[in-house]
């Protein structure tokens, strides 16, 4: 009796820990099967040029279409994938799928756009990532300049090996960008130690521009910093006209956010590109007078 009570006490002492482990293991099992069962899917969020309003890029964002639970956002399963190492096969699937999709759209005659893929720190700590990216490009036939790899600032904290890996990725001719810029410890150090192509201003700064003088100063400051360093800059999470106008006025190149578009399923993304292709052709016809 006393023994059993002892056991139960242990279980009761650590319910949080116990259920956390159970949830992780349970989700890992389901994630393992999700890939085989084609439950993973990419959505695509358009990136819009501030000057022209044209869609010039996309970000691929993973979703899990769970047979019972419906659509699960990445925030709920990517951390588990990272903890368990499943991010390696899943990340490779994302890379291959994004490259193939983008090449297929180009082959169908749609206006060419860059496609952004998020890389986890865990993927970058694996030196095999360079070959994985190379293979995804080769097998899809996508030109490297149409692929953008989004990395978060924390990778620089992981040391020189990771920096070396990023430099080798850059040598492939792909675009490298810093995601969620300004939210980690080493933002500026990062810009010193790495040759990146562009900065993605983190959402909280952009969304604060109406309310907060500090967020206005930070957002403007990041744009000026990027431009001074000769880098591209995109504002994430633009939801209002005021936010769009503010970043445009201060020289931001592109925006991504609900003001223009939410992440779209593949078919809707394709339709949007088709519309844009048609209107571009009309403009060209108008100019040449035919
Ligand atoms: P992220 O890379 O910073 O992606 C942007 C996130 O902001 C997306 O959330 C997008 O839907 C959301 N977003 C864009 N515009 C707006 C807006 O105007 N308002 C608001 N409230 N949200 C906006 P999502 O798709 O849930 O992805 C969350 C995070 O999950 C991503 O943040 C990224 O870190 C990670 N993630 C997504 N797909 C992948 C992937 O394939 N691999 C890896 N390793 N991580 C991924
Ligand atoms: Mg991203
Ligand atoms: Mg991110
Ligand atoms: Mg981001």
């Amino acid at each position: 009796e006393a023994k059993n009570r002892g056991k139960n006490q242990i279980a009761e002492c650590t319910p949080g820990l116990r259920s956390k482990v159970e949830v992780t293991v349970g989700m890992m099992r389901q994630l393992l099967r999700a890939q085989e069962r084609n439950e993973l899917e990419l959505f695509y969020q358009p990136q819009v040029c501030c000057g022209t309003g044209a869609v010039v890029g996309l970000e691929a964002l993973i979703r899990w279409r769970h047979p019972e639970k419906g659509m699960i956002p990445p925030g709920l399963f990517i951390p588990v994938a990272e903890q368990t190492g499943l991010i390696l096969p899943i990340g490779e699937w994302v890379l291959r799928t994004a490259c193939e999709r983008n090449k297929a759209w180009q082959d169908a005659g749609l206006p060419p756009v860059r496609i952004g893929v998020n890389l986890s720190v865990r993927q970058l700590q694996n030196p095999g990532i360079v070959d994985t990216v190379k293979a995804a490009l080769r097998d899809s036939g996508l030109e490297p300049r149409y692929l953008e790899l989004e990395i978060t600032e924390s990778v620089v904290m992981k040391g020189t090996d990771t920096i070396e890996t990023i430099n080798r990725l850059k040598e492939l001719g792909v675009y490298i960008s810093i995601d969620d810029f300004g939210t980690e410890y080493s933002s500026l150090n990062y810009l010193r130690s790495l040759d990146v192509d562009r900065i993605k201003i983190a959402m909280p700064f952009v969304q604060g521009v109406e309310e907060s003088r500090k967020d206005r100063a930070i957002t403007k400051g990041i744009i000026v910093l990027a431009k001074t360093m000769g880098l591209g800059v995109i504002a994430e999470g633009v939801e209002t006209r005021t936010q769009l106008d503010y970043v445009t006025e201060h020289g931001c190149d592109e925006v991504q956010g609900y003001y223009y578009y939410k992440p779209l399923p593949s078919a809707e993304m394709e339709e949007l590109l088709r519309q844009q292709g048609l209107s571009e052709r009309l403009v060209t016809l108008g100019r040449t007078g035919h």
Side-chain angles (χ1 to χ4, degrees), residues 72-87:
I72 306 181
L76 293 183
F77 67 90
I78 287 293
V80 173
E82 285 170 346
Q83 282 160 29
T84 57
L86 279 176
I87 194 65

Side-chain angles (χ1 to χ4, degrees), residues 27 33 48 61 82 92 98 107 135 161-162 173 175 188 197 240 246 255 263 265 273:
M27 185 176 265
R33 278 172 307 190
V48 175
L61 295 159
E82 285 170 346
E92 177 167 0
D107 287 348
D161 284 358
T162 326
Y175 232 69
L188 297 178
D197 298 289
T240 67
Y246 185 81
V255 294
L273 288 174

Side-chain angles (χ1 to χ4, degrees), residues 120-239:
S120 288
V121 174
R122 186 91 181 240
Q123 288 173 274
L124 282 164
Q125 284 177 303
N126 181 349
I129 185 68
V130 182
D131 286 330
T132 303
V133 171
K134 215 190 273 181
L137 289 167
R138 184 197 54 218
D139 294 348
S140 64
L142 185 72
E143 284 179 57
R145 65 189 169 116
Y146 290 119
L147 177 64
E148 169 176 41
L149 301 176
E150 299 192 2
I151 58 189
T152 53
E153 301 170 281
S154 50
V155 298
V156 155
M157 309 284 281
K158 304 292 174 192
T160 48
D161 284 358
T162 326
I163 295 177
E164 179 55 29
T165 302
I166 294 168
N167 287 333
R168 286 175 54 215
L169 285 170
K170 199 172 154 58
E171 280 164 18
L172 298 178
V174 301
Y175 232 69
I176 307 278
S177 63
I178 308 180
D179 206 353
D180 307 329
F181 185 85
T183 54
E184 303 268 349
Y185 293 117
S186 54
S187 311
L188 297 178
N189 215 9
Y190 201 97
L191 287 180
R192 284 179 82 207
S193 32
L194 273 181
D195 280 320
V196 299
D197 298 289
R198 76 162 164 177
I199 290 173
K200 300 191 76 176
I201 310 174
M203 217 149 53
F205 304 124
V206 177
Q207 296 188 341
V209 301
E210 280 114 336
E211 303 280 317
S212 154
R213 205 166 50 87
K214 287 182 183 169
D215 286 335
R216 279 195 292 280
I218 292 169
T219 299
K220 176 181 166 187
I222 294 175
I223 297 170
V224 171
L225 175 65
K227 292 290 109 189
T228 310
M229 293 186 79
L231 307 178
V233 59
I234 176 166
E236 287 196 85
V238 169
E239 290 185 359

